[in-house]
Amino acid sequence: MTMSSTSSAAPSLNADQGARVHAINIALIVVALVAMFWRVFFLGETLIDLRTLNNQLPWGAQAGDSRDYPYDRRDLTDMYVTREYFAAQAYRDGELPLWNPYTMAGHPIYADGVTRIFSPSLLLYKFFDVPLGYSLARIMELMLGGIFMYIFLIAIGASPRAGLMGSLVFVFSAHSMLHLSGLGWWGGLMWLPLILLFVERAIKRNRLTDSVAAGILLAAQFYCGYTPNEIYYVGAIALYYAFAALRGNDNRLSYGRALAMLLLTVGVGFAIAAPEWMPVAELLRQSNRRIVPTEIGYIYLPPWYLATFIFPHLFGSAYDATALRIFTAVGVSHDHILYIGVAALAPLLFGLFYPKFVQTGEKVRRDQRESFFLMLLGISLVAMMAAPLYVYLTRFVPVLQTIRVIVRAGVLFIFAASVLAALGVDRLFAANRDALAKLATWWKRGTGTIFILVVLTTTAAYGLRSASRISADSHGVAAFARRAVDYFFKQFTPPNAALLIPLALLIMTAFLIAALSKDRITPRVFYCALLVLLVGDLFWKSAEFNPTFNGSKIFPKTEMTELIKGLPAGRVLITPSDLDLNRKVEESESREKIIAPPNTMLPYKIPVITGKDQLFPKWYRDYCSLIEPQSNLSHVAFDQSASRYFDLLNVRYVLTHDSKPAPNGRFIARAEGLLLYENPNAFPRAFVIGNAIFTGDEKESLGLLRSPGFDPKTSAIVLASRSLDGSPGLAPSTMIPAHIIEEHRNSLKVESETETDGWLVISDTYYPGWKASIDGQPTEIYRANHTMRAVKLAAGRHMVSFVFAPPILRIASYIALVVLAASVLIIAAGWFMNRRSRLKRE
């Protein structure tokens, strides 16, 4: 598919002029980003939202009223940033962050599709702390995304001015700003322009080496991006190849050739990225995180959200918790808007409908490139908006289960919209006066219609709001509908800036188009004015998504965290979990602040037994269910404060709210709205037990644990296919502590001494990939007490070493290195052959 160029209006430039123009345009993109985030670059502030910490103890003990905290920013502070702390600390210590010893999740923390331990952005932590480094990494990804988009647009034939406008839309649109601080979102999206550029070259030149290069870039997307989004990127690649074969091309790309190129690109990408996704696949097999028919909820955008192309706040402003509760109750993601800037709509719409504007006797056809991106735009919108019609079928196709959060298809929407806006610029500047006059008429009528609708809606809003008053405690469908109507009409009584500014921009754009159509301004003046409107518009909208904060207040030292770190070793239970309270905190001024949610102790290296949005091995979740039901597929958290199963997990300390009933145990301290207690019944993390109860069945193992007669001080339940000799050794009630003498993220050394045979039990979660040795001799690791690790010991003094060396990572690394080396050789060989052919022709 050699898709025809749309840059007929592009001025001809020699090589020096072209290089200078491209350099200036790229510099403008960089300068615009620096201007947008000047507080990060010049004041060292962070994009990490401090307000989400103000609402939780101990950090928010003195923060005052924080009822308006943005719930949708919780993932950033509770998960993404805490994992960055863990990864940064590991690399500074010269280790790979494969294993997380500070949560009882007990899995390779990078095997979750989010942490991205091999991302180049982690290098920034060599020079900056996490709050600043995290912000710079996200801005760097956004900047590279804009530059890569510019390169892509120029390479497919767009003019420099079109490339600049398309790149600015790509970088500053509402979608981009909304997802900027989300870990891996832009780390993946930034590679899509380069991937499709090499796919385009492969199609145009009918050359497999370019397909290989596209595959290498796809692998980079895996390493830098958000794994659940790969389904959309791979889909875009497949569509590009398929469109080339179906629509025809100058080189007559056959269906078989297109399929071979697709398989080569995807195969190379997946193979080189194997160390990133293969551990995820293994962990998914070991976990019970599955989408079941009873949990088929989804988040989507309904068709009326198309109105957010013009009015971004029509269904709620960014991170508005009130709108969140109203709209997500029916599966609608209110803050995922489609706003790309009013000024960008003019070239985009002209490019889409230009056959209707051109006055010729012949039928005007859209070129293939525009047709493809129009199709991609349509598919992404349909995917986001038609979810209720198909999402229930996704539970039968495992790889499609990730599309429950269907708004992730927005990565394709913003990419396609940016390209179409850029191509539309060239269409606009190639148009004659009659076509421009027709566009001006359309735009004027559209603006007038929208203005009338705003006036009518405002009039109706004043009437309906007074008639729809409801009490705060009303329930039911009717009450819900009235609340939604009341919230929707609030912005019309009176019309707020989010309504008036887009109207003003529509009017100004109408004047510009009319002036251009009548030759009252030159095309250059029109372009500059349109660019100023676009940048000002997107800057206005983007500012709300990413406010900056004082980085020193992100996970600072606190009295309670410093106290816990100075106590003797032991795991901490934070209770109650308050996960539900996260969404409800602003409903009443009397509500208490939540207590450090799961994961938020990672920056302090405080070991806890909970986790948020982790891929837990199923046996750990089953164990936790013995304490209380664990209904959330991605969280493990507790509201109880006492259990013999906590004792066995080495829960030595209990941290709770100072207004809650005091848990059993020895009081240690009160600080920052929290109480800290010591659990006197806690087992040591490593201990030797004399008796083993063998079972080969997991259900039986759980049943034995539930049994009132089971005493963990005298016996361990060992999962084994057969009974082992020498099980009884120590006398009853003689559980002996073992001593941890050396600990790293991926290794542990334990010293034990007993007079008889026994079992060394480590209350860390069992997971395939751990290897053990006793006095340097390899030994087998068994699963004890359903979720722990255990090895059989002979009498005497022994040094037991545990090392995490997952075979899946080694195999994946070999695959990646072999395929990468082969890919580089293929590309190099192709380059030399092409060079030789050129020399012969010369």
Side-chain angles (χ1 to χ4, degrees):
M1 173 178 62
T2 305
M3 296 190 284
S4 59
S5 171
T6 61
S7 58
S8 57
S12 58
L13 301 172
N14 60 40
D16 291 339
Q17 289 175 325
R20 185 165 57 252
V21 170
H22 295 325
I24 291 172
N25 285 345
I26 290 174
L28 287 174
I29 296 170
V30 174
V31 168
L33 277 165
V34 173
M36 166 67 75
F37 300 106
W38 69 273
R39 298 182 69 87
V40 174
F41 288 103
F42 300 111
L43 300 183
E45 293 194 351
T46 181
L47 296 174
I48 300 170
D49 202 325
L50 181 62
R51 293 169 296 173
T52 59
L53 287 178
N54 286 347
N55 192 65
Q56 55 186 266
L57 300 172
W59 308 282
Q62 308 299 326
D65 185 8
S66 54
R67 290 178 298 144
D68 61 345
Y69 86 110
Y71 172 78
D72 276 13
R73 306 280 275 186
R74 291 233 60 90
D75 283 355
L76 177 61
T77 49
D78 290 0
M79 294 186 298
Y80 304 151
V81 174
T82 57
R83 297 176 187 187
E84 292 286 280
Y85 273 98
F86 178 78
Q89 291 165 356
Y91 278 117
R92 287 170 183 169
D93 292 340
E95 299 178 279
L96 282 178
L98 301 181
W99 189 257
N100 179 359
Y102 309 123
T103 71
M104 194 56 192
H107 70 268
I109 192 170
Y110 83 97
D112 55 14
V114 178
T115 305
R116 311 162 313 122
I117 68 165
F118 301 120
S119 173
S121 66
L122 291 173
L123 293 173
L124 286 173
Y125 296 131
K126 281 283 187 182
F127 312 100
F128 306 102
D129 61 16
V130 171
L132 180 57
Y134 188 95
S135 303
L136 292 175
R138 305 294 79 78
I139 297 172
M140 178 191 69
E141 291 166 351
L142 189 66
M143 187 180 297
L144 289 175
I147 295 171
F148 292 164
M149 172 60 89
Y150 184 83
I151 294 172
F152 171 75
L153 291 170
I154 298 303
I156 65 174
S159 67
R161 61 192 171 201
L164 178 59
M165 180 163 282
S167 298
L168 290 174
V169 171
F170 192 50
V171 168
F172 291 110
S173 70
H175 176 278
S176 299
M177 291 295 105
L178 175 68
H179 292 100
L180 171 61
S181 55
L183 188 62
W185 200 278
W186 264 96
L189 183 54
M190 70 177 182
W191 294 106
L192 186 58
L194 291 186
I195 293 171
L196 291 190
L197 173 59
F198 277 91
V199 171
E200 163 85 359
R201 288 171 56 132
I203 294 168
K204 183 178 180 180
R205 302 174 182 180
N206 200 359
R207 208 162 64 187
L208 295 177
T209 52
D210 289 315
S211 295
V212 173
I216 295 174
L217 292 169
L218 176 61
Q221 194 172 61
F222 267 100
Y223 284 113
C224 299
Y226 181 52
T227 303
N229 275 1
E230 291 299 330
I231 187 173
Y232 301 112
Y233 300 136
V234 173
I237 295 169
L239 282 173
Y240 213 87
Y241 279 119
F243 195 83
L246 292 172
R247 292 295 298 267
N249 57 91
D250 295 343
N251 293 331
R252 293 184 175 85
L253 187 68
S254 66
Y255 297 140
R257 185 74 169 180
L259 180 61
M261 287 181 169
L262 169 62
L263 294 177
L264 191 58
T265 297
V266 175
V268 168
F270 272 74
I272 296 177
E276 187 68 28
W277 64 267
M278 285 180 66
V280 180
E282 180 192 71
L283 185 54
L284 280 170
R285 288 196 304 271
Q286 305 288 357
S287 75
N288 64 349
R289 187 171 179 179
R290 296 289 187 271
I291 296 173
V292 295
T294 56
E295 297 198 25
I296 202 66
Y298 54 89
I299 300 175
Y300 79 111
L301 293 184
W304 51 84
Y305 265 61
L306 289 170
T308 61
F309 266 116
I310 299 174
F311 297 113
H313 288 168
L314 202 58
F315 303 103
S317 59
Y319 314 121
D320 186 332
T322 301
L324 179 77
R325 286 196 303 274
I326 291 175
F327 292 109
T328 56
V330 290
V332 175
S333 181
H334 82 282
D335 57 308
H336 291 72
I337 60 178
L338 305 176
Y339 197 69
I340 63 171
V342 170
L345 289 177
L348 186 145
L349 293 175
F350 186 82
L352 292 182
F353 298 105
Y354 79 90
K356 296 183 179 296
F357 296 113
V358 179
Q359 304 293 328
T360 63
E362 299 179 3
K363 184 178 180 181
V364 179
R365 297 184 61 186
R366 188 176 289 108
D367 73 34
Q368 292 185 27
R369 181 177 291 110
E370 289 171 321
S371 297
F372 171 77
F373 287 108
L374 176 59
M375 177 185 69
L376 190 64
L377 181 75
I379 288 174
S380 64
L381 289 175
V382 170
M384 289 190 287
M385 295 181 173
L389 302 180
Y390 66 80
V391 75
Y392 292 98
L393 301 177
T394 62
R395 68 179 185 270
F396 301 112
V397 185
V399 72
L400 295 182
Q401 292 174 353
T402 61
I403 69 171
R404 290 190 311 156
V405 187
I406 196 60
V407 289
R408 291 172 182 161
V411 293
L412 300 185
F413 157 76
I414 189 55
F415 180 78
S418 302
V419 174
L420 288 171
L423 298 181
V425 168
D426 285 335
R427 288 290 182 191
L428 192 60
F429 281 89
N432 57 32
R433 183 180 297 180
D434 291 338
L436 293 174
K438 195 168 184 179
L439 173 64
T441 301
W442 276 41
W443 195 271
K444 180 180 177 180
R445 290 174 180 173
T447 301
T449 301
I450 292 170
F451 182 81
I452 292 171
L453 288 174
V454 170
V455 171
L456 292 176
T457 306
T458 300
T459 304
Y462 275 106
L464 291 176
R465 282 199 69 190
S466 60
S468 64
R469 300 296 179 189
I470 55 174
S471 61
D473 58 351
S474 298
H475 298 284
V477 175
F480 173 83
R482 285 197 296 270
R483 284 195 182 94
V485 169
D486 185 67
Y487 180 85
F488 177 78
F489 282 142
K490 188 182 298 183
Q491 61 193 307
F492 290 90
T493 52
N496 60 22
L499 292 170
L500 298 178
I501 291 177
L503 281 176
L505 291 168
L506 284 168
I507 294 170
M508 286 188 282
T509 304
F511 277 112
L512 284 175
I513 297 172
L516 180 65
S517 69
K518 297 176 182 178
D519 288 336
R520 292 177 180 172
I521 57 175
T522 65
R524 176 170 293 184
V525 171
F526 172 78
Y527 174 75
C528 291
L530 201 65
L531 205 61
V532 169
L533 283 182
L534 175 69
V535 172
D537 181 10
L538 293 180
F539 267 46
W540 158 73
K541 184 68 188 75
S542 299
E544 73 180 270
F545 289 114
N546 292 288
T548 58
F549 303 89
N550 184 346
S552 66
K553 296 184 178 181
I554 304 296
F555 294 115
K557 290 183 179 179
T558 72
E559 184 177 347
M560 186 57 76
T561 55
E562 290 301 294
L563 173 63
I564 294 174
K565 288 169 65 176
L567 292 173
R571 293 195 173 98
V572 179
L573 168 66
I574 299 175
T575 183
S577 64
D578 290 327
L579 289 177
D580 289 338
L581 188 57
N582 282 356
R583 290 179 181 267
K584 303 173 183 176
V585 69
E586 72 166 22
E587 290 181 354
S588 169
E589 293 186 16
S590 63
R591 282 196 179 272
E592 301 157 333
K593 294 179 184 294
I594 59 179
I595 305 174
N599 296 9
T600 52
M601 288 300 176
L602 269 174
Y604 302 95
K605 301 184 180 180
I606 293 177
V608 297
I609 62 170
T610 55
K612 178 179 179 182
D613 204 36
Q614 312 281 16
L615 290 176
F616 294 98
K618 58 185 177 182
W619 43 86
Y620 182 64
R621 181 180 299 280
D622 292 341
Y623 181 93
C624 294
S625 297
L626 296 173
I627 302 169
E628 61 184 78
Q630 299 294 328
S631 57
N632 195 307
L633 291 180
S634 59
H635 297 12
V636 163
F638 303 96
D639 291 324
Q640 296 187 29
S641 61
S643 169
R644 61 174 179 162
Y645 303 110
F646 283 145
D647 302 339
L648 192 52
L649 282 179
N650 180 229
V651 173
R652 187 168 182 176
Y653 305 104
V654 179
L655 190 64
T656 189
H657 205 289
D658 61 6
S659 64
K660 300 295 181 184
N664 297 326
R666 182 178 69 87
F667 172 75
I668 297 178
R670 178 195 299 267
E672 300 158 323
L674 296 171
L675 295 175
L676 182 64
Y677 282 79
E678 183 175 13
N679 174 20
N681 301 317
F683 277 51
R685 182 178 169 191
F687 56 90
V688 179
I689 206 79
N691 298 320
I693 303 172
F694 295 101
T695 177
D697 183 77
E698 291 192 353
K699 290 184 178 180
E700 185 180 3
S701 171
L702 284 172
L704 291 170
L705 281 170
R706 289 191 187 98
S707 172
F710 170 65
D711 184 359
K713 292 183 178 179
T714 61
S715 303
I717 299 168
V718 177
L719 273 165
S721 56
R722 59 184 179 82
S723 296
L724 304 179
D725 297 332
S727 300
L730 302 177
S733 301
T734 56
M735 181 266 290
I736 301 174
H739 304 287
I740 296 175
I741 62 171
E742 184 179 321
E743 179 182 7
H744 300 284
R745 287 171 180 82
N746 306 309
S747 63
L748 187 73
K749 286 187 178 180
V750 181
E751 186 179 60
S752 67
E753 185 173 6
T754 62
E755 296 180 356
T756 58
D757 295 350
W759 290 84
L760 172 66
V761 178
I762 307 293
S763 62
D764 297 354
T765 299
Y766 172 89
Y767 190 80
W770 280 102
K771 299 183 183 301
S773 62
I774 301 175
D775 301 328
Q777 298 300 313
T779 189
E780 186 173 357
I781 298 178
Y782 296 89
R783 182 141 62 100
N785 298 331
H786 198 73
T787 192
M788 302 174 185
R789 299 200 298 272
V791 297
K792 191 173 183 300
L793 289 178
R797 186 173 184 174
H798 299 286
M799 180 70 68
V800 184
S801 299
F802 294 88
V803 176
F804 186 64
I808 191 72
L809 180 59
R810 184 174 62 254
I811 294 170
S813 299
Y814 289 154
I815 293 172
L817 290 173
V818 169
V819 174
L820 178 61
S823 299
V824 171
L825 289 175
I826 290 171
I827 292 172
W831 183 83
F832 280 115
M833 291 176 63
N834 290 330
R835 186 171 182 273
R836 181 178 296 179
S837 298
R838 287 197 303 270
L839 291 175
K840 286 182 177 180
R841 288 195 299 268
E842 293 173 359

